[in-house]
Amino acid sequence: MFWGLLVFGPGMGACFVTAQISALTGVPEEESGLAAGLVDTVFNIGSAIGIAIVTSVAVAVSRTAISETGAPESVAAFNDGLRTAFGVAAAFGAIGLLAALFVLERRTPATAETPEITAPG
């Protein structure tokens, strides 16, 4: 678990920052608070749903393994549940990566036009 969590920390930080930057790009200044709030809300809702799904998978697989072995507190069953749950989380990450690469439209940065400066008088 150490290596997975070592990757998770920086990855989560980078994901949150890039989501904020993406959400606020092109948003008028007076609506930037609304856009940031929407991104935070969706991020938290998605996290809660993802945690619920992954936890449900871990518990279901662990219970199945325990019922097959008959041992009430089998470490192997618990590990099987966590391994499967991390696999599901990795699959969600892969789906998100594919969506980012293929579904979202690619935009080129707009070039800012430089206003002409005229001398007074």
Side-chain angles (χ1 to χ4, degrees), residues 25-47:
T25 300
V27 174
E29 186 176 340
E30 61 272 1
E31 293 180 1
S32 62
L34 174 65
L38 284 172
V39 170
D40 286 344
T41 302
V42 170
F43 199 81
N44 287 327
I45 290 171
S47 295

Side-chain angles (χ1 to χ4, degrees), residues 53-54 57-58 79-95:
I53 291 170
V54 170
V57 168
N79 285 340
D80 287 345
L82 287 179
R83 187 176 301 116
T84 305
F86 282 128
V88 169
F92 280 139
I95 291 168

Side-chain angles (χ1 to χ4, degrees), residues 51-81:
I51 290 169
I53 291 170
V54 170
T55 302
S56 297
V57 168
V59 169
V61 171
S62 295
R63 281 188 181 167
T64 302
I66 287 172
S67 68
E68 289 174 359
T69 61
E73 295 186 21
S74 173
V75 174
F78 182 67
N79 285 340
D80 287 345

